[in-house]
Every structure is written in C-alpha cells, then in structure tokens.
Amino acid sequence: MAGFFNEMFDDSGAITRSHYEGFDRWLSEQPADIVARKRVEADLMFRRVGITFAVYGSEAGTERLIPFDIIPRIIPAAEWETLHQGLRQRVQALNLFIHDIYHEQTIVSAGVIPAEQVFRNAQYRPEMQGITVPSDIYAHIAGIDIVRAGEGEFYVLEDNLRVPSGVSYMLEDRKMMMRLFPELFARHKVAPVAHYPDLLLDMLRSVAPQGVDDPTVVLMTPGMYNSAYFEHAFLAQQMGIELVEGQDLFVDDGYVFMRTTRGPQRVDVIYRRIDDDFLDPLVFRSDSSLGVPGLLSVYRAGRVTLSNAIGTGVADDKSIYPFVPDMIRFYLSEEPILNNVPTWQCRKKDDLQYTLDHLDQLVVKEVHGAGGYGMLVGPASTRAEIADFRQRLITKPEGYIAQPTLALSVCPTYVESGIAPRHIDLRPFVLSGKTVTMVPGGLTRVALKEGSLVVNSSQGGGTKDTWVLER
C-alpha cells in the first residue's frame, strides 16, 4: 500500500525498520506448508479455548473466532519509552479531570472546557458529585487507542475509560506465539506481558476502601451472553478471584456481600464489566436485572470500590476528547507527549460547515459511539451514505465530531492471497492505583479487509501479538 507508513517494509519490499530484520530472516526460512499448518493449529486452539467475539449483524451468526495473525507488530524499546511516558501523562490528566468535575470543577470555572460539554454530557453522573474515591482514582483501567500515521508519528485516536476490553486477547496472542514458535523468542528479547493479571490484581487491592488490609476482590459480569464474557471469565481465573453476576451480590447493613456456599462474604473491590446504567436499579435503570440494589449507597459511604468508577465515561466521550491536551496543560503544566488527531467539533458552526463541505474526505463519529459503529468513513462511503450522514449532522450537529481520514500505518499480515499490508492500531492498557503501571505493548488490532480502516473485532477485525523489544 503506497502512501502509508509500513511498519516493516518500504514500497520495494525491502526492510526499512532494523528491528524487524531478525524476524524477516526467520520468516524467509519457513516453508509455506509449515506456516499454513501453524495458522490452522492456532485457529483450532483458539476455538478449543473459546476465544470468540460477537459480530453484530453477521449473517453467519453472532459469535465467531477472532482472526489471529502470526506476523507480530514489533516496537523498539525507544519508541515504547515515548509511548509509555505519553500514556502515563495522559491517564494522569484524565483522572485529575474526572475528580475535578465531580468536586471543585476548576477546569470549567477557568473556561478551559465549556460547562455544557461536561454537565449536559450523557455520561456525566450527578450522583457522583462529592463522592470521595480511594487515591482520587476513577479510571483504574484505561485502554488508550494509538495509531501511527504520516511519516510514522503516533497519535491518540480514542480514550476508553468505562469498561475497556481486549486485554485477554493480548495475553492469549502471546501464549499462542510462544507455543507455535518458541524459537522466535530465543532469537528476540521480547518484553513479557504474562504478568498483567498480577499487576491488575495488585492495583485492584491497592484501591480498597480505607482500613481494609486484606480486601476481597470480585469481577462482576453481565453474564455469559455478553460479547466479552470470555475475557471476564479469563481474567477472573487468571487473578484467582470470583466471577460474579449481580444476583450473586447483595447489600446488607451498609456493606456489599457475596453469596457463597459457606455463607455471606463481604466484598471490598468490584472490578465491574457492566455499564453505569445497569449497576444499581434503585438509582439508574429500574428495569436492570444485572445490578445490585443499594450498591450506590455503599459506594457513596466509601465501603466498596468500583473499578472503574461510576461516571468515568464523561472523560472518554468523543466530545471531550479534543480537550485532553488542554487538560494536560491545565493540571500538569506540561505539553502533551502524545498528540490528538485533529478534530472538528460539529457543535461549532464553522466546524460543522467545514465538515459538511468535506464529508467525502473525513471520518465522522458519534460522540457517544463505540466499537466502530455510528460512524462515516467518507472516502469509503457511497453517495447515499454520505447524504444520509449529512442529514444527521444538520439535525443533531452536537452529536458528532469529524476527523481527517488518517493514513493508518500498515503491517504485513497473512490473508487468503498470502502476505499483504493491512492497517493496524494499538491499545495499551494503563493501570492506575497508588502507582501507574502497564505491561509493554498492548493489543494490536488489524483491519483484515483490504483498504479497510476499521480494526474493531466486533466488525471483523483481527489481532496480532505485540512485541516490545528490550534494550
């Protein structure tokens, strides 16, 4: 694909990135039949383990195997160090912002962010106003989507702070590569990621309510029909904690308890994989059967920690995204290490007009959208689709942002026709407790359709192992 930054090759097929040279030599030594057999073996093992994801609207059914590609995405140590520092900075500022808007609201008073952008946001939870949470941390687990474009610059595409998913695929991809190709890891100094569940559990224990020295931690799932249920069960098993549903928990005498065969057991930290609206039917959606009646009252009293905190979604909403560099300057007095993608806010008259005039060139996104849904990729859209989106923008401009169609970097990928370049992104997972930690790398997602820029697994994307090379 000419015109796109290639992680491995130049347009002539020559290696341009020296950290790929060792892998390229190994790949050239592999007989085609061996590689094909290993790919089939990987699919069979993933299917046996049950690593699937919901593909909504798929004619073949709602569950399918997530395609796994055996060509890794490789990041040298120096590049990762820049990403590491930028991610730490960004997540620190986002946590300070969430604390601020539910307490002093200084960033609004200073005029840095318009009040209506915060308090009229669908993800703002007035019920959280004045609630103190341990260490003032709200987004304990953040999945920050990073893309590379232009001449190879990194940009933050999206901040995922509500219930970010995908880390189980990062871990399983690494296990698969080590099982299929152990000789590769003897040739390369690849930074480990297998300790992520230990880091996650340590972080969750570190944010337990004050005075709790040996906290009981549980992972709360909506249930087996949720698209990410595999990940919920996987992480609970890896951390050695109970996987619970709302019906397994109850509130009594100002605390949360878990039903067990030995009687009720107090719960101190809930790693919840359920959206705010369904957590407590006494406060949010009264028709929710997934939550725990009275949970918010215990939370308000500081007797249970929810991870991530209620109300974090206001900071990962796409209408707030353009202001994150301003947050970094405001709270940390630093310049952002990682840049945002240039963004037009369609609620602004001039930005809306520019967007309407260039719809065939832009990516337009719903501010509350996720998973690659509710968006227009102008260059890949039909006239009818553009006309439909034009009407949506005119009707509800405040519901959308627009961005340039980035020339996302590509990485060689096995497809039906052989090895071909496909667009990728990266989702590192940042853990914030008493300290900020992360494993090197993250989940690399790949758009398997030729020319597609949509990498989301829910829309047919695949995954790659991500290698960060140690110095």
Side-chain angles (χ1 to χ4, degrees):
M1 289 185 183
F4 299 101
F5 183 88
N6 193 306
E7 299 285 338
M8 187 170 175
F9 299 120
D10 64 17
D11 291 343
S12 69
I15 288 285
T16 54
R17 313 258 289 149
S18 60
H19 54 278
Y20 269 101
E21 289 175 352
F23 177 82
D24 184 56
R25 284 194 297 272
W26 173 87
L27 187 61
S28 66
E29 297 165 0
Q30 306 309 304
D33 61 324
I34 297 294
V35 171
R37 192 166 73 239
K38 293 285 189 180
R39 293 176 66 205
V40 171
E41 186 180 341
D43 285 350
L44 288 172
M45 283 193 280
F46 276 141
R47 194 175 299 279
R48 194 175 303 133
V49 173
I51 305 176
T52 59
F53 200 95
V55 182
Y56 302 109
S58 170
E59 294 178 2
T62 58
E63 293 289 330
R64 73 153 174 83
L65 198 68
I66 294 183
F68 166 69
D69 184 54
I70 65 171
I71 299 180
R73 191 253 185 90
I74 305 178
I75 301 172
E79 282 186 3
W80 173 250
E81 182 59 29
T82 298
L83 285 171
H84 181 274
Q85 295 300 326
L87 291 163
R88 176 191 293 269
Q89 178 195 62
R90 191 174 182 98
V91 171
Q92 284 179 328
L94 286 164
N95 269 306
L96 289 166
F97 167 71
I98 302 169
H99 173 78
D100 185 23
I101 62 167
Y102 289 120
H103 291 82
E104 296 83 7
Q105 302 170 1
T106 56
I107 199 166
V108 175
S109 301
V112 177
I113 299 179
E116 65 270 16
Q117 289 294 95
V118 174
F119 304 121
R120 292 184 183 175
N121 191 298
Q123 298 301 319
Y124 171 72
R125 304 295 180 187
E127 298 86 356
M128 284 295 293
Q129 203 64 51
I131 293 182
T132 300
V133 299
S135 302
D136 292 336
I137 299 297
Y138 292 76
H140 306 96
I141 303 108
I144 309 297
D145 291 346
I146 303 287
V147 296
R148 195 202 292 269
E151 297 299 314
E153 300 90 351
F154 287 110
Y155 295 90
V156 175
L157 185 64
E158 204 166 283
D159 304 293
N160 299 282
L161 307 181
R162 283 170 259 185
V163 282
S165 63
V167 76
S168 60
Y169 309 117
M170 174 191 80
L171 296 170
E172 288 293 335
D173 286 354
R174 175 60 55 83
K175 284 168 60 177
M176 185 62 68
M177 285 294 286
M178 295 182 77
R179 185 178 297 142
L180 293 176
F181 308 111
E183 71 276 12
L184 270 175
F185 293 88
R187 295 189 184 192
H188 297 82
K189 292 183 177 180
V190 181
V193 298
H195 58 297
Y196 176 86
D198 296 331
L199 289 180
L200 177 60
L201 182 59
D202 287 347
M203 181 278 293
L204 292 169
R205 290 174 60 86
S206 78
V207 294
Q210 189 172 6
V212 178
D213 297 324
D214 186 20
T216 295
V217 182
V218 299
L219 193 155
M220 184 180 180
T221 176
M224 65 182 296
Y225 296 109
N226 183 267
S227 63
Y229 181 73
F230 164 79
E231 175 157 298
H232 306 165
F234 174 87
L235 287 175
Q237 186 272 330
Q238 291 290 306
M239 287 189 285
I241 64 175
E242 293 294 331
L243 179 69
V244 301
E245 297 181 28
Q247 62 190 0
D248 300 318
L249 304 176
F250 66 94
V251 170
D252 185 44
D253 197 27
Y255 293 93
V256 177
F257 292 89
M258 169 174 54
R259 294 180 173 89
T260 77
T261 56
R262 298 180 301 278
Q265 180 180 352
R266 180 179 160 183
V267 172
D268 305 296
V269 180
I270 300 174
Y271 175 23
R272 53 95 172 208
R273 299 296 295 261
I274 296 175
D275 290 338
D276 290 354
D277 286 339
F278 301 96
L279 280 173
D280 185 342
L282 299 184
V283 179
F284 302 116
R285 285 186 54 158
S286 60
D287 61 344
S288 172
S289 59
L290 302 176
V292 184
L295 178 60
L296 186 65
S297 65
V298 182
Y299 188 49
R300 289 187 69 92
R303 293 172 177 167
V304 70
T305 298
L306 296 177
S307 178
N308 287 344
I310 294 171
T312 55
V314 69
D316 75 5
D317 186 273
K318 292 179 181 66
S319 68
I320 294 295
Y321 163 88
F323 297 100
V324 178
D326 297 320
M327 294 178 200
I328 293 170
R329 298 182 185 101
F330 185 79
Y331 295 116
L332 303 178
S333 300
E334 298 171 358
E335 282 301 307
I337 297 170
L338 297 173
N339 291 320
N340 271 17
V341 176
T343 302
W344 291 273
Q345 302 174 60
C346 296
R347 66 183 183 85
K348 296 181 178 179
K349 183 179 178 181
D350 290 347
D351 285 15
L352 173 62
Q353 190 59 55
Y354 180 88
T355 302
L356 292 172
D357 291 343
H358 298 85
L359 272 179
D360 60 338
Q361 304 167 32
L362 300 174
V363 175
V364 186
K365 303 176 181 178
E366 286 183 333
V367 295
H368 305 316
Y373 295 96
M375 63 186 288
L376 175 84
V377 180
S381 300
T382 65
R383 288 184 179 180
E385 289 168 337
I386 291 173
D388 173 64
F389 241 83
R390 180 182 301 278
Q391 194 54 50
R392 291 196 215 176
L393 280 166
I394 292 170
T395 303
K396 189 182 179 183
E398 70 279 6
Y400 296 89
I401 62 167
Q403 296 172 331
T405 306
L406 290 182
L408 298 190
S409 68
V410 296
C411 189
T413 301
Y414 270 103
V415 294
E416 289 185 11
S417 60
I419 297 178
R422 291 293 184 265
H423 295 290
I424 58 171
D425 78 348
L426 175 68
R427 177 176 290 180
F429 295 90
V430 185
L431 303 178
S432 300
K434 291 211 160 90
T435 60
V436 178
T437 58
M438 64 196 88
V439 296
L443 176 66
T444 290
R445 301 181 298 176
V446 54
L448 294 173
K449 295 178 184 177
E450 185 175 1
S452 174
L453 297 170
V454 182
V455 299
N456 304 76
S457 300
S458 57
Q459 295 204 49
T463 66
K464 291 173 172 283
D465 192 12
T466 308
W467 294 4
V468 172
L469 300 182
E470 296 179 323
R471 292 185 187 277

